[in-house]
């Protein structure tokens, strides 16, 4: 997936630039801009996928943490707590 996005994103960037440079109407300029932007997003997404794959490889090689090894705020002080009961 990462390779496909990278391989398809680079020509899309180049095509967007060429369409924009040789555009004879505003519609074609918009088409070139959109094509360039979608190519940049495809290349960026392939980079994000690469980082996620790297993180997954690191986490699976080290094993997962047990619940007592993870430090966490008590539920009363946790930012996502919306309860009405408060301790003193």
């Amino acid at each position: 997936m990462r390779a496909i996005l990278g391989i398809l994103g680079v020509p899309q960037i180049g095509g967007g630039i060429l369409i924009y440079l040789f555009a004879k109407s505003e519609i074609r300029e918009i088409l070139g801009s959109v094509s360039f932007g979608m190519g940049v997003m495809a290349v960026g997404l392939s980079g994000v996928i690469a980082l996620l794959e790297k993180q997954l490889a690191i986490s699976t090689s080290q094993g997962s943490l047990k619940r007592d090894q993870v430090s966490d705020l008590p539920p009363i002080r946790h930012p996502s707590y919306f309860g009405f009961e408060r301790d003193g």
Side-chain angles (χ1 to χ4, degrees):
M1 178 96 171
R2 174 184 62 171
I4 293 171
L5 283 172
I7 290 170
L8 294 177
V10 172
Q12 191 170 2
I13 292 172
I17 292 172
L18 288 176
I19 291 171
Y20 186 81
L21 289 177
F22 297 110
K24 295 183 180 186
S25 68
E26 291 81 13
I27 296 294
R28 293 186 189 242
E29 287 180 2
I30 293 171
L31 176 67
S33 300
V34 169
S35 179
F36 177 80
M38 295 296 283
V40 169
M41 289 189 339
V43 171
L45 183 60
S46 70
V48 169
I49 290 173
L51 291 175
L52 288 173
E53 287 176 350
K54 182 179 176 183
Q55 185 65 33
L56 180 65
I58 290 171
S59 67
T60 55
S61 68
Q62 294 177 351
S64 60
L65 295 174
K66 294 190 177 23
R67 178 67 183 140
D68 59 347
Q69 293 174 325
V70 177
S71 63
D72 196 7
L73 293 172
I76 268 305
R77 298 188 56 200
H78 199 276
S80 65
Y81 179 72
F82 297 107
F84 295 104
E85 300 171 10
R86 303 272 177 174
D87 289 344

Coordinates of all heavy atoms in Angstrom, one line a residue:
M1 N 0.8 -1.2 0.0 CA 0.0 0.0 0.0 C 0.9 1.3 0.0 O 0.6 2.2 -0.7 CB -0.9 0.0 1.2 CG -1.8 1.2 1.4 SD -3.4 0.8 0.7 CE -4.3 2.2 1.2
R2 N 1.9 1.2 0.9 CA 2.8 2.4 0.9 C 3.5 2.6 -0.4 O 3.6 3.8 -0.9 CB 3.8 2.1 2.1 CG 4.8 3.2 2.2 CD 5.8 2.9 3.2 NE 6.5 1.6 2.9 CZ 7.5 1.2 3.5 NH1 8.0 1.8 4.6 NH2 8.1 0.1 3.2
A3 N 4.0 1.6 -1.0 CA 4.7 1.7 -2.3 C 3.8 2.2 -3.4 O 4.1 3.0 -4.2 CB 5.4 0.4 -2.6
I4 N 2.6 1.6 -3.4 CA 1.6 2.0 -4.4 C 1.3 3.5 -4.3 O 1.2 4.2 -5.3 CB 0.3 1.2 -4.4 CG1 0.7 -0.3 -4.7 CG2 -0.8 1.7 -5.3 CD1 -0.5 -1.2 -4.5
L5 N 1.0 4.0 -3.1 CA 0.7 5.4 -2.9 C 1.9 6.3 -3.3 O 1.7 7.3 -3.9 CB 0.4 5.7 -1.5 CG -1.0 5.3 -1.0 CD1 -1.2 5.4 0.5 CD2 -2.1 6.1 -1.8
G6 N 3.1 5.9 -3.0 CA 4.3 6.7 -3.4 C 4.5 6.7 -4.9 O 4.8 7.7 -5.5
I7 N 4.3 5.5 -5.5 CA 4.5 5.4 -6.9 C 3.5 6.2 -7.7 O 3.8 6.8 -8.7 CB 4.5 3.9 -7.4 CG1 5.8 3.2 -6.8 CG2 4.5 3.7 -8.9 CD1 5.8 1.7 -7.0
L8 N 2.3 6.1 -7.3 CA 1.2 6.9 -8.0 C 1.2 8.4 -7.6 O 0.7 9.2 -8.4 CB -0.1 6.2 -7.7 CG -0.3 4.8 -8.2 CD1 -1.7 4.3 -7.8 CD2 -0.2 4.8 -9.7
G9 N 1.7 8.7 -6.4 CA 1.6 10.1 -6.0 C 2.6 11.0 -6.7 O 2.3 12.2 -7.0
V10 N 3.8 10.5 -7.0 CA 4.9 11.3 -7.6 C 4.5 11.7 -9.1 O 4.6 12.9 -9.4 CB 6.2 10.6 -7.6 CG1 7.3 11.3 -8.4 CG2 6.7 10.4 -6.1
P11 N 4.0 10.8 -9.9 CA 3.6 11.2 -11.2 C 2.4 12.2 -11.2 O 2.2 13.0 -12.1 CB 3.2 9.9 -12.0 CG 3.8 8.9 -11.2 CD 4.0 9.3 -9.8
Q12 N 1.5 12.0 -10.2 CA 0.4 12.9 -10.1 C 0.8 14.3 -9.7 O 0.2 15.2 -10.2 CB -0.6 12.3 -9.0 CG -1.9 13.0 -9.0 CD -2.9 12.4 -8.1 OE1 -2.6 11.4 -7.4 NE2 -4.1 12.9 -8.0
I13 N 1.8 14.4 -8.9 CA 2.4 15.7 -8.6 C 3.0 16.4 -9.9 O 2.7 17.5 -10.3 CB 3.5 15.7 -7.5 CG1 2.8 15.3 -6.2 CG2 4.2 17.0 -7.4 CD1 3.8 15.0 -5.1
G14 N 3.7 15.6 -10.6 CA 4.3 16.1 -11.9 C 3.3 16.4 -12.9 O 3.3 17.4 -13.6
G15 N 2.2 15.6 -13.1 CA 1.1 15.9 -14.0 C 0.4 17.1 -13.6 O 0.0 17.9 -14.4
G16 N 0.2 17.3 -12.3 CA -0.5 18.5 -11.8 C 0.3 19.8 -12.1 O -0.3 20.8 -12.6
I17 N 1.6 19.7 -12.0 CA 2.4 20.8 -12.3 C 2.3 21.1 -13.8 O 2.2 22.3 -14.3 CB 3.9 20.6 -11.9 CG1 3.9 20.6 -10.4 CG2 4.8 21.7 -12.5 CD1 5.3 20.2 -9.8
L18 N 2.4 20.1 -14.7 CA 2.4 20.3 -16.1 C 1.0 20.8 -16.6 O 0.9 21.7 -17.4 CB 2.7 19.0 -16.8 CG 4.1 18.5 -16.8 CD1 4.3 17.2 -17.4 CD2 5.0 19.5 -17.4
I19 N 0.0 20.3 -16.0 CA -1.4 20.7 -16.4 C -1.5 22.2 -16.0 O -2.1 23.0 -16.7 CB -2.5 19.9 -15.7 CG1 -2.5 18.5 -16.3 CG2 -3.8 20.5 -15.8 CD1 -3.4 17.5 -15.5
Y20 N -1.0 22.6 -14.8 CA -1.1 24.0 -14.4 C -0.3 24.9 -15.2 O -0.8 26.0 -15.6 CB -0.7 24.1 -12.9 CG -0.9 25.4 -12.3 CD1 -2.2 25.8 -11.9 CD2 0.1 26.4 -12.2 CE1 -2.4 27.1 -11.3 CE2 -0.1 27.6 -11.7 CZ -1.4 28.0 -11.3 OH -1.6 29.2 -10.7
L21 N 0.9 24.5 -15.6 CA 1.8 25.4 -16.4 C 1.2 25.6 -17.8 O 1.4 26.7 -18.4 CB 3.2 24.8 -16.5 CG 4.0 24.8 -15.2 CD1 5.3 24.1 -15.5 CD2 4.2 26.2 -14.8
F22 N 0.6 24.6 -18.4 CA 0.1 24.7 -19.8 C -1.4 24.9 -19.9 O -2.0 24.7 -20.9 CB 0.5 23.5 -20.6 CG 2.0 23.3 -20.7 CD1 2.7 22.3 -20.1 CD2 2.8 24.3 -21.5 CE1 4.1 22.2 -20.2 CE2 4.1 24.2 -21.6 CZ 4.8 23.1 -20.9
A23 N -2.0 25.3 -18.8 CA -3.5 25.5 -18.8 C -3.8 26.7 -19.6 O -3.2 27.8 -19.6 CB -3.9 25.7 -17.3
K24 N -4.9 26.6 -20.3 CA -5.4 27.7 -21.1 C -6.8 28.2 -20.6 O -7.3 29.1 -21.2 CB -5.6 27.2 -22.6 CG -4.3 26.9 -23.2 CD -4.4 26.5 -24.6 CE -3.0 26.2 -25.1 NZ -2.9 25.9 -26.5
S25 N -7.2 27.7 -19.5 CA -8.4 28.1 -18.9 C -8.3 28.0 -17.4 O -7.5 27.3 -16.9 CB -9.7 27.4 -19.4 OG -9.6 26.1 -19.0
E26 N -9.3 28.6 -16.7 CA -9.2 28.6 -15.2 C -9.6 27.2 -14.7 O -9.1 26.7 -13.7 CB -10.2 29.6 -14.7 CG -9.8 31.0 -14.8 CD -10.2 31.6 -16.2 OE1 -10.9 30.9 -17.0 OE2 -9.7 32.7 -16.6
I27 N -10.5 26.5 -15.5 CA -10.9 25.1 -15.1 C -9.6 24.2 -15.1 O -9.5 23.4 -14.2 CB -12.0 24.6 -16.0 CG1 -13.2 25.4 -15.9 CG2 -12.3 23.1 -15.7 CD1 -13.9 25.3 -14.5
R28 N -8.8 24.3 -16.1 CA -7.6 23.5 -16.1 C -6.6 23.9 -15.1 O -5.9 23.0 -14.6 CB -7.0 23.5 -17.5 CG -7.9 22.9 -18.5 CD -7.3 22.8 -19.9 NE -8.3 22.5 -20.9 CZ -8.3 21.3 -21.6 NH1 -7.2 20.5 -21.4 NH2 -9.2 21.0 -22.4
E29 N -6.5 25.1 -14.7 CA -5.7 25.5 -13.6 C -6.2 24.9 -12.3 O -5.4 24.4 -11.5 CB -5.7 27.0 -13.4 CG -4.9 27.7 -14.5 CD -4.9 29.2 -14.3 OE1 -5.5 29.7 -13.3 OE2 -4.3 29.9 -15.1
I30 N -7.5 24.9 -12.1 CA -8.0 24.2 -10.9 C -7.7 22.7 -10.9 O -7.3 22.1 -9.9 CB -9.5 24.5 -10.8 CG1 -9.8 26.0 -10.5 CG2 -10.2 23.6 -9.7 CD1 -11.2 26.4 -10.7
L31 N -7.9 22.1 -12.1 CA -7.6 20.7 -12.2 C -6.1 20.4 -11.9 O -5.8 19.4 -11.2 CB -7.9 20.2 -13.6 CG -7.6 18.8 -14.0 CD1 -8.4 17.8 -13.2 CD2 -7.7 18.5 -15.5
G32 N -5.2 21.2 -12.4 CA -3.8 21.0 -12.1 C -3.5 21.2 -10.6 O -2.7 20.5 -10.0
S33 N -4.2 22.2 -10.0 CA -4.0 22.4 -8.5 C -4.5 21.2 -7.7 O -3.8 20.8 -6.8 CB -4.7 23.7 -8.1 OG -4.2 24.8 -8.8
V34 N -5.7 20.7 -8.1 CA -6.2 19.6 -7.3 C -5.4 18.4 -7.5 O -5.1 17.6 -6.6 CB -7.7 19.4 -7.8 CG1 -8.2 18.1 -7.2 CG2 -8.6 20.5 -7.3
S35 N -4.9 18.1 -8.7 CA -4.1 17.0 -9.0 C -2.8 17.1 -8.2 O -2.3 16.1 -7.6 CB -3.8 16.9 -10.5 OG -2.9 15.8 -10.8
F36 N -2.2 18.2 -8.2 CA -1.0 18.4 -7.4 C -1.2 18.2 -5.9 O -0.5 17.4 -5.3 CB -0.4 19.8 -7.6 CG 0.8 20.1 -6.8 CD1 2.0 19.7 -7.2 CD2 0.7 20.8 -5.6 CE1 3.2 20.0 -6.4 CE2 1.8 21.1 -4.8 CZ 3.1 20.7 -5.2
G37 N -2.3 18.7 -5.4 CA -2.6 18.5 -4.0 C -2.9 17.1 -3.6 O -2.5 16.6 -2.6
M38 N -3.6 16.4 -4.5 CA -3.9 15.0 -4.2 C -2.6 14.1 -4.3 O -2.5 13.2 -3.5 CB -4.9 14.4 -5.2 CG -6.3 15.1 -5.1 SD -7.1 14.7 -3.5 CE -7.6 13.1 -3.8
G39 N -1.7 14.5 -5.2 CA -0.4 13.8 -5.2 C 0.4 14.0 -4.0 O 1.0 13.1 -3.4
V40 N 0.4 15.2 -3.5 CA 1.1 15.5 -2.2 C 0.5 14.8 -1.1 O 1.2 14.2 -0.2 CB 1.1 17.1 -2.0 CG1 1.6 17.4 -0.6 CG2 2.0 17.8 -3.0
M41 N -0.8 14.7 -1.0 CA -1.5 13.9 0.0 C -1.2 12.4 -0.1 O -1.0 11.8 1.0 CB -3.0 14.2 0.0 CG -3.3 15.6 0.5 SD -5.1 16.0 0.8 CE -6.0 14.8 -0.1
A42 N -1.1 11.9 -1.3 CA -0.8 10.5 -1.4 C 0.6 10.2 -0.9 O 0.9 9.2 -0.2 CB -1.0 10.1 -2.9
V43 N 1.6 11.0 -1.3 CA 3.0 10.8 -0.9 C 3.0 11.0 0.7 O 3.7 10.2 1.3 CB 3.9 11.8 -1.6 CG1 5.3 11.8 -1.0 CG2 4.0 11.5 -3.1
G44 N 2.3 12.0 1.2 CA 2.3 12.2 2.7 C 1.7 11.0 3.4 O 2.2 10.5 4.4
L45 N 0.6 10.4 2.8 CA 0.0 9.3 3.4 C 0.9 8.1 3.4 O 0.9 7.3 4.4 CB -1.3 9.0 2.7 CG -2.2 7.8 3.3 CD1 -2.5 8.1 4.8 CD2 -3.4 7.6 2.5
S46 N 1.7 7.9 2.3 CA 2.6 6.8 2.3 C 3.7 7.0 3.4 O 4.1 6.0 3.9 CB 3.2 6.7 0.9 OG 4.1 7.8 0.6
G47 N 4.1 8.2 3.7 CA 5.0 8.4 4.7 C 4.4 8.1 6.1 O 5.1 7.5 7.0
V48 N 3.2 8.5 6.3 CA 2.5 8.1 7.6 C 2.4 6.6 7.7 O 2.6 6.1 8.8 CB 1.1 8.8 7.6 CG1 0.3 8.3 8.8 CG2 1.3 10.3 7.8
I49 N 2.0 5.9 6.7 CA 1.9 4.5 6.7 C 3.3 3.9 7.1 O 3.4 2.9 7.8 CB 1.4 3.9 5.4 CG1 -0.1 4.3 5.3 CG2 1.5 2.4 5.3 CD1 -0.7 4.0 3.9
A50 N 4.4 4.4 6.5 CA 5.7 3.9 6.8 C 6.0 4.1 8.3 O 6.6 3.2 8.9 CB 6.7 4.6 6.0
L51 N 5.7 5.2 8.9 CA 5.9 5.4 10.3 C 5.1 4.5 11.2 O 5.6 4.0 12.2 CB 5.6 6.9 10.7 CG 6.6 7.9 10.1 CD1 6.1 9.3 10.4 CD2 8.0 7.7 10.7
L52 N 3.8 4.3 10.8 CA 3.0 3.4 11.5 C 3.5 1.9 11.4 O 3.5 1.2 12.4 CB 1.5 3.4 11.0 CG 0.8 4.7 11.4 CD1 -0.6 4.7 10.7 CD2 0.6 4.8 12.9
E53 N 4.0 1.5 10.3 CA 4.6 0.2 10.1 C 5.8 0.0 11.0 O 6.0 -1.0 11.6 CB 4.9 -0.1 8.7 CG 3.7 -0.4 7.8 CD 4.1 -0.6 6.4 OE1 5.2 -0.3 6.0 OE2 3.2 -1.0 5.6
K54 N 6.6 1.1 11.1 CA 7.8 1.1 11.9 C 7.4 1.0 13.4 O 8.0 0.2 14.1 CB 8.6 2.3 11.7 CG 9.9 2.4 12.4 CD 10.7 3.7 12.1 CE 11.9 3.8 12.9 NZ 12.6 5.1 12.7
Q55 N 6.4 1.7 13.8 CA 6.0 1.7 15.2 C 5.4 0.3 15.5 O 5.6 -0.2 16.6 CB 5.0 2.8 15.4 CG 4.5 2.9 16.9 CD 5.7 3.4 17.8 OE1 6.5 4.1 17.4 NE2 5.7 2.9 19.0
L56 N 4.7 -0.3 14.6 CA 4.1 -1.6 14.8 C 5.2 -2.6 15.0 O 5.1 -3.5 15.9 CB 3.2 -2.0 13.7 CG 2.5 -3.3 13.8 CD1 1.5 -3.3 15.0 CD2 1.7 -3.6 12.5
A57 N 6.2 -2.5 14.2 CA 7.3 -3.5 14.3 C 8.1 -3.3 15.6 O 8.4 -4.3 16.3 CB 8.3 -3.2 13.1
I58 N 8.2 -2.1 16.1 CA 8.9 -1.9 17.4 C 8.0 -2.4 18.5 O 8.5 -3.1 19.4 CB 9.2 -0.4 17.6 CG1 10.3 0.1 16.6 CG2 9.6 -0.1 19.0 CD1 10.5 1.6 16.6
S59 N 6.7 -2.1 18.5 CA 5.9 -2.5 19.6 C 5.7 -4.1 19.6 O 5.6 -4.6 20.7 CB 4.5 -1.9 19.5 OG 3.8 -2.3 18.4
T60 N 5.7 -4.7 18.5 CA 5.5 -6.2 18.5 C 6.8 -6.9 18.9 O 6.7 -8.0 19.5 CB 5.0 -6.7 17.2 OG1 5.9 -6.3 16.1 CG2 3.6 -6.2 16.9
S61 N 7.9 -6.3 18.7 CA 9.2 -6.9 19.1 C 9.4 -6.8 20.5 O 10.1 -7.6 21.1 CB 10.4 -6.3 18.3 OG 10.6 -5.0 18.6
Q62 N 8.9 -5.7 21.2 CA 9.2 -5.5 22.6 C 8.1 -6.1 23.5 O 8.2 -6.3 24.7 CB 9.2 -4.0 22.9 CG 10.4 -3.3 22.3 CD 10.4 -1.8 22.6 OE1 9.5 -1.3 23.0 NE2 11.5 -1.2 22.2
G63 N 7.0 -6.5 22.9 CA 5.8 -7.0 23.7 C 5.0 -5.8 24.2 O 5.4 -4.7 24.3
S64 N 3.8 -6.1 24.7 CA 3.0 -5.1 25.3 C 3.2 -4.9 26.8 O 3.6 -5.9 27.4 CB 1.5 -5.4 24.9 OG 1.2 -6.6 25.5
L65 N 2.9 -3.8 27.3 CA 3.0 -3.5 28.7 C 1.8 -4.1 29.5 O 0.7 -4.1 29.0 CB 3.1 -2.0 29.0 CG 4.3 -1.3 28.4 CD1 4.1 0.2 28.6 CD2 5.5 -1.8 29.0
K66 N 2.0 -4.5 30.7 CA 1.0 -4.9 31.5 C 0.3 -3.7 32.1 O 0.8 -2.6 32.2 CB 1.5 -5.8 32.6 CG 2.1 -7.1 32.1 CD 2.4 -8.1 33.2 CE 2.9 -9.4 32.8 NZ 3.5 -9.5 31.5
R67 N -0.9 -3.9 32.6 CA -1.7 -2.7 33.1 C -1.0 -2.0 34.3 O -1.1 -0.8 34.4 CB -3.1 -3.2 33.6 CG -4.0 -2.2 34.1 CD -4.4 -1.2 33.1 NE -5.2 -0.1 33.7 CZ -5.0 1.2 33.4 NH1 -4.2 1.5 32.5 NH2 -5.8 2.1 34.0
D68 N -0.4 -2.8 35.2 CA 0.3 -2.1 36.3 C 1.6 -1.4 35.9 O 2.1 -0.6 36.7 CB 0.6 -3.2 37.4 CG 1.5 -4.3 36.9 OD1 1.7 -4.4 35.7 OD2 2.0 -5.0 37.8
Q69 N 2.1 -1.6 34.7 CA 3.3 -0.9 34.3 C 2.9 0.5 33.6 O 3.8 1.3 33.4 CB 4.0 -1.7 33.3 CG 4.6 -3.0 33.8 CD 5.3 -3.8 32.8 OE1 4.8 -3.9 31.7 NE2 6.3 -4.5 33.1
V70 N 1.7 0.7 33.4 CA 1.2 2.0 32.7 C 0.8 2.9 33.8 O -0.1 2.7 34.6 CB 0.1 1.7 31.7 CG1 -0.4 3.0 31.1 CG2 0.5 0.7 30.7
S71 N 1.4 4.1 33.8 CA 1.0 5.1 34.8 C -0.2 5.9 34.2 O -0.1 6.3 33.0 CB 2.2 6.0 35.1 OG 2.6 6.7 34.0
D72 N -1.2 6.1 35.0 CA -2.4 6.8 34.5 C -2.9 7.7 35.6 O -2.7 7.4 36.8 CB -3.4 5.8 34.0 CG -4.5 6.4 33.2 OD1 -4.3 7.6 32.9 OD2 -5.4 5.7 32.9
L73 N -3.6 8.7 35.3 CA -4.3 9.5 36.3 C -5.5 8.7 36.9 O -6.1 7.9 36.2 CB -4.8 10.8 35.7 CG -3.7 11.8 35.2 CD1 -4.4 12.9 34.5 CD2 -2.9 12.3 36.4
P74 N -5.8 9.0 38.2 CA -7.0 8.3 38.7 C -8.2 8.9 37.9 O -8.2 10.0 37.4 CB -7.0 8.7 40.2 CG -6.0 9.8 40.3 CD -5.1 9.7 39.1
P75 N -9.3 8.1 37.9 CA -10.5 8.5 37.1 C -11.0 9.9 37.4 O -11.5 10.6 36.6 CB -11.5 7.5 37.4 CG -10.8 6.3 37.9 CD -9.5 6.8 38.5
I76 N -10.9 10.3 38.7 CA -11.5 11.6 39.1 C -10.7 12.8 38.4 O -11.3 13.8 38.1 CB -11.4 11.7 40.6 CG1 -12.6 11.2 41.3 CG2 -11.1 13.1 41.1 CD1 -13.9 11.9 40.9
R77 N -9.4 12.6 38.2 CA -8.6 13.7 37.7 C -8.3 13.5 36.2 O -7.7 14.4 35.6 CB -7.2 13.7 38.4 CG -7.4 14.0 39.9 CD -6.1 14.2 40.6 NE -5.4 15.3 40.0 CZ -4.1 15.5 40.1 NH1 -3.4 14.7 40.8 NH2 -3.5 16.4 39.4
H78 N -8.8 12.5 35.6 CA -8.6 12.3 34.2 C -9.4 13.3 33.4 O -10.5 13.6 33.7 CB -9.0 10.9 33.8 CG -8.4 10.4 32.5 ND1 -9.0 10.7 31.3 CD2 -7.3 9.7 32.3 CE1 -8.2 10.2 30.4 NE2 -7.2 9.6 30.9
P79 N -8.8 13.9 32.3 CA -9.5 14.9 31.5 C -10.8 14.5 30.9 O -11.7 15.3 30.6 CB -8.5 15.3 30.5 CG -7.2 14.7 30.9 CD -7.4 13.7 31.9
S80 N -10.9 13.2 30.6 CA -12.1 12.7 29.9 C -13.2 12.4 30.9 O -14.3 11.9 30.5 CB -11.8 11.5 29.0 OG -11.4 10.4 29.8
Y81 N -13.0 12.6 32.2 CA -14.0 12.3 33.2 C -15.1 13.4 33.3 O -14.7 14.6 33.6 CB -13.4 12.1 34.6 CG -14.4 11.7 35.7 CD1 -15.0 10.5 35.7 CD2 -14.7 12.7 36.6 CE1 -15.9 10.2 36.7 CE2 -15.6 12.4 37.6 CZ -16.2 11.1 37.6 OH -17.1 10.8 38.6
F82 N -16.3 13.1 33.1 CA -17.4 14.1 33.1 C -18.4 13.8 34.2 O -19.5 14.3 34.1 CB -18.1 14.2 31.8 CG -17.2 14.6 30.6 CD1 -16.7 13.7 29.7 CD2 -16.7 15.9 30.6 CE1 -15.9 14.1 28.7 CE2 -15.9 16.3 29.5 CZ -15.5 15.4 28.6
G83 N -18.0 13.0 35.2 CA -19.0 12.7 36.2 C -19.2 13.8 37.2 O -18.5 14.8 37.2
F84 N -20.2 13.7 38.0 CA -20.6 14.8 39.0 C -20.1 14.5 40.4 O -20.1 15.3 41.2 CB -22.1 15.0 38.9 CG -22.6 15.5 37.6 CD1 -23.2 14.7 36.7 CD2 -22.3 16.8 37.3 CE1 -23.7 15.1 35.5 CE2 -22.8 17.3 36.0 CZ -23.4 16.5 35.2
E85 N -19.7 13.2 40.6 CA -19.2 12.9 42.0 C -17.7 13.3 42.1 O -16.9 12.9 41.3 CB -19.4 11.4 42.2 CG -20.8 10.9 42.0 CD -20.8 9.4 42.0 OE1 -19.8 8.8 42.3 OE2 -21.9 8.9 41.7
R86 N -17.5 14.1 43.1 CA -16.1 14.5 43.4 C -15.7 14.2 44.8 O -16.5 14.2 45.7 CB -16.0 16.1 43.2 CG -16.4 16.6 41.9 CD -15.3 16.6 40.9 NE -15.7 17.0 39.6 CZ -15.0 17.2 38.6 NH1 -13.7 17.0 38.8 NH2 -15.4 17.5 37.5
D87 N -14.4 13.9 45.0 CA -13.9 13.6 46.3 C -13.5 15.0 46.9 O -12.7 15.7 46.4 CB -12.7 12.7 46.3 CG -13.1 11.3 46.0 OD1 -14.3 11.0 46.0 OD2 -12.3 10.5 45.6
G88 N -14.2 15.3 48.0 CA -13.9 16.5 48.9 C -13.2 17.6 48.3 O -12.6 18.3 47.9

